[in-house]
Amino acid sequence: MENNTSKDTRQEKRKPGTRQWIYAILASVLCILFVIWTGYWGVLILIPVFIDIYITKFIPWGAWRNAKNPSVRKILDWVDAIVFALVGVWIINTFFFQNYQIPTSSLEKSLLIGDFLCVSKVSYGARSPMTPFSLPLMQHTFPGTSFKSYLEKPQLEYKRFAGTGHITRGDIVVFNYPSGDTVAVNMQDQDYYVLCKEYGAERVRTDKNLFGDIIYRPVDRRENYVKRCLGLPGETIELRNDTTFIDGKALEDPENLQLFYIVQTDGTTIAPKVFEDLGITKDDMPKISAPEDISRADSTVIEKLGLSSNNGNPGYIYSGVFLTKKMLAELKAKPYVLSIIKQNEYLKKRNQMEPQSRFTTTTYPITYKQDSDPGDFPALWIPKRGATIKFDTDVDYKVAAYIRCIKNYEHNDFDYRDGKVYINGQVADSYTFKYDYYFMMGDNRDYSADSRTWGFVPEDHVVGKPLFIWLSLDKDKGWFSGKIRWNRLFTSGNKK
């Protein structure tokens, strides 16, 4: 009986069936297509492996299935399944699609906290694995620990494969957070460079109790962010009075652009339910100030601030109220609302009246003192691959604005001393950029940490384009009281 089994096995090896031939041909064709797409010619070595697995069977790939001990067979069967699944997930996650969960309200109301996105890496072209030895589904650490989920070496050179398109203005883009190259372990949710400005770089590096160790993360292991692209390579972007200008021309605002507003009532207190019905989340509720009684304010001051009065009584004002155009119209229709004005506009008028206590915002580059009025952002040129910048005028500003591009992202030695720029040890009066850069902003414009604070997104940081929302969970509600937002499932993840 045993001899007959051996004989049958040998015959099976010599005579592969139609199914085996189909599998071998399909695997080989997919391998060739992958090589054409990526240029990784070494992958062709897998073709003989596929042929042997399905056709020639010189190597006993599944010999462990013949183990006499059933426990061993069962364990190895599980190991085989797990390894196969991990490899499959790694390939899909690296080259094709990736899951991403919206963690913050920076894109409200376009994308909501709790939206789960299917992100296409093919849309802009997948990146080659820059940190090849990393575990799938773990961005940089094992969940609940501080242990790295990747090996820092080797690091491969950046390369992007052919995609189905390129980034256009208005696209919502997932990317690695550029300022996440350096992280204070005890304050990972805060920008390292902002911490250095606030506390001083020396203290951040030496105060281990407060800040922890300072670590570096490779490009593709940095936190994933999602914002809307408003500025493209080679353009000049500027914000004036909450309006975005590209090369001097005003852009149309996204449909769900959300700003802070000052809401003035006739003295009526607005119930929290009114804000909730408008769509303001529980996370955003605390940002709305308590009603401020301005009934005794000088009428001239009220007029200068752009507010109204009801028979001489200006009533109450609320600040920090998040509103879209639609929400603004709904709230204006309330009979007790006297006026609603942009908070940034209101603060600018306050600045004119009280210049000694001027409200300002810190803008990129944060190392260059240029505090702006609320709602404004100074004109800034966005680097483009092959474009050259000259260090002839405004050198201090140009160094502050582009040092991260030249040094951190394009990996040059950079020094600035005695009014001269040194690149790779040589005095330089110009620099030609190797990458394209993008300017990203959130739709929740007054509550978004974006390029206005931390600068440009280099092309090698771009991950992909959200295709659709495959799940949406409202963390403020229970499973039986509307936790799943059914109306958002399988809707576009790139809302304009």
Side-chain angles (χ1 to χ4, degrees):
M1 186 71 175
E2 184 176 350
N3 290 337
N4 289 338
T5 302
S6 301
K7 182 178 179 181
D8 292 341
T9 302
R10 288 193 298 270
Q11 289 177 346
E12 183 182 351
K13 289 181 180 180
R14 289 194 300 268
K15 297 180 180 180
T18 303
R19 180 182 298 178
Q20 282 72 32
W21 278 103
I22 292 174
Y23 287 161
I25 293 172
L26 181 60
S28 299
V29 168
L30 290 175
C31 183
I32 293 171
L33 291 176
F34 182 83
V35 169
I36 293 173
W37 179 39
T38 65
Y40 287 164
W41 298 100
V43 176
L44 291 174
I45 198 173
L46 292 176
I47 292 179
V49 175
F50 294 144
I51 292 174
D52 188 58
I53 290 174
Y54 295 110
I55 307 299
T56 58
K57 300 183 179 180
F58 290 127
I59 300 174
W61 300 96
W64 55 268
R65 292 190 175 90
N66 299 322
K68 295 181 179 180
N69 189 325
S71 297
V72 172
R73 287 200 306 271
K74 188 173 183 179
I75 292 173
L76 292 177
D77 196 31
W78 274 102
V79 170
D80 178 68
I82 292 171
V83 170
F84 181 81
L86 287 175
V87 171
V89 169
W90 183 86
I91 291 174
I92 293 172
N93 198 64
T94 300
F95 297 102
F96 299 100
F97 302 101
Q98 179 177 326
N99 173 59
Y100 179 72
Q101 180 183 1
I102 299 295
T104 69
S105 62
S106 70
L107 277 168
E108 296 267 348
K109 295 298 193 230
S110 301
L111 296 177
L112 307 181
I113 295 175
D115 281 349
F116 289 79
L117 306 175
C118 174
V119 178
S120 166
K121 295 190 172 183
V122 180
S123 294
Y124 304 133
R127 292 179 301 188
S128 61
M130 303 165 77
T131 309
F133 295 112
S134 59
L135 292 176
L137 307 181
M138 298 183 193
Q139 184 61 18
H140 46 67
T141 53
F142 285 90
T145 74
S146 59
F147 297 109
K148 295 178 181 178
S149 61
Y150 61 92
L151 297 179
E152 293 185 359
K153 295 182 179 179
Q155 281 293 307
L156 304 183
E157 186 178 354
Y158 161 69
K159 180 181 179 182
R160 190 172 295 276
F161 309 135
T164 58
H166 57 275
I167 296 176
T168 58
R169 192 181 337 280
D171 281 359
I172 294 177
V173 181
V174 176
F175 55 91
N176 296 115
Y177 179 42
S179 284
D181 56 353
T182 309
V183 178
V185 171
N186 289 356
M187 295 187 178
Q188 297 190 34
D189 59 339
Q190 298 188 47
D191 188 298
Y192 169 79
Y193 300 97
V194 173
L195 290 175
C196 288
K197 181 179 180 181
E198 293 179 353
Y199 295 93
E202 183 63 24
R203 184 184 175 191
V204 173
R205 287 193 295 265
T206 57
D207 191 345
K208 301 293 184 182
N209 290 330
L210 180 59
F211 300 100
D213 292 329
I214 307 303
I215 62 173
Y216 172 83
R217 284 178 179 156
V219 171
D220 55 343
R221 297 298 102 194
R222 295 167 192 171
E223 290 286 356
N224 285 328
Y225 268 36
V226 59
K227 307 286 179 188
R228 190 181 298 278
C229 177
L230 292 185
L232 298 172
E235 297 179 337
T236 297
I237 190 167
E238 181 182 7
L239 268 74
R240 299 196 300 268
N241 299 322
D242 295 307
T243 298
T244 304
F245 291 82
I246 296 293
D247 294 335
K249 296 181 180 179
L251 288 185
E252 184 178 349
D253 291 330
E255 177 65 26
N256 290 311
L257 179 75
Q258 186 168 262
L259 297 171
F260 274 141
Y261 284 87
I262 298 289
V263 179
Q264 181 189 17
T265 74
D266 59 8
T268 301
T269 301
I270 303 177
K273 185 68 165 58
V274 174
F275 291 129
E276 183 181 341
D277 290 344
L278 283 172
I280 296 175
T281 65
K282 287 185 178 180
D283 281 346
D284 290 341
M285 287 286 193
K287 301 175 185 69
I288 301 175
S289 69
E292 179 185 350
D293 186 353
I294 58 170
S295 59
R296 297 183 181 180
D298 184 271
S299 59
T300 303
V301 172
I302 293 299
E303 184 178 351
K304 286 183 177 180
L305 290 175
L307 300 174
S308 304
S309 62
N310 182 20
N311 296 323
N313 179 15
Y316 290 163
I317 61 170
Y318 292 78
S319 61
V321 182
F322 287 108
L323 297 173
T324 62
K325 292 178 183 177
K326 181 180 178 182
M327 295 161 67
L328 174 63
E330 288 182 30
L331 192 55
K332 269 187 175 179
K334 304 292 184 185
Y336 48 80
V337 174
L338 296 181
S339 64
I340 304 177
I341 62 175
K342 292 179 181 179
Q343 185 163 305
N344 290 331
E345 179 183 327
Y346 173 83
L347 293 176
K348 284 182 179 179
K349 291 178 178 178
R350 288 279 299 271
N351 286 345
Q352 294 171 1
M353 295 172 58
E354 305 169 14
Q356 70 278 3
S357 55
R358 185 167 171 259
F359 294 91
T360 60
T361 56
T362 300
T363 56
Y364 179 85
I366 62 174
T367 56
Y368 185 85
K369 186 171 178 57
Q370 56 166 5
D371 292 336
S372 303
D373 282 329
D376 293 349
F377 182 84
L380 178 67
W381 179 75
I382 305 168
K384 180 180 182 179
R385 187 192 307 126
T388 299
I389 186 172
K390 292 187 177 295
F391 298 109
D392 49 2
T393 59
D394 299 323
V395 179
D396 287 351
Y397 172 73
K398 290 177 180 178
V399 167
Y402 303 109
I403 183 173
R404 285 188 58 79
C405 301
I406 299 170
K407 182 178 179 180
N408 296 52
Y409 307 145
E410 302 193 1
H411 310 296
N412 296 283
D413 291 329
F414 188 99
D415 194 15
Y416 179 53
R417 61 181 185 271
D418 302 326
K420 293 183 179 180
V421 171
Y422 295 82
I423 299 177
N424 298 323
Q426 302 294 320
V427 176
D429 58 5
S430 65
Y431 179 79
T432 301
F433 292 95
K434 296 191 300 183
Y435 290 158
D436 280 332
Y437 292 81
Y438 302 89
F439 198 93
M440 307 287 186
M441 293 171 62
D443 290 355
N444 197 1
R445 193 60 54 82
D446 293 329
Y447 199 69
S448 172
D450 51 37
S451 288
R452 291 170 296 171
T453 302
W454 40 255
F456 312 107
V457 176
E459 64 176 73
D460 68 333
H461 283 58
V462 173
V463 174
K465 181 178 183 178
L467 290 184
F468 59 87
I469 300 167
W470 63 271
L471 179 64
S472 184
L473 301 178
D474 189 338
K475 69 183 184 66
D476 295 332
K477 297 182 179 179
W479 287 105
F480 300 103
S481 58
K483 189 174 188 66
I484 300 178
R485 304 185 186 106
W486 295 102
N487 63 323
R488 295 187 64 80
L489 267 58
F490 300 102
T491 58
S492 172
N494 225 287
K495 304 177 189 300
K496 298 298 184 182

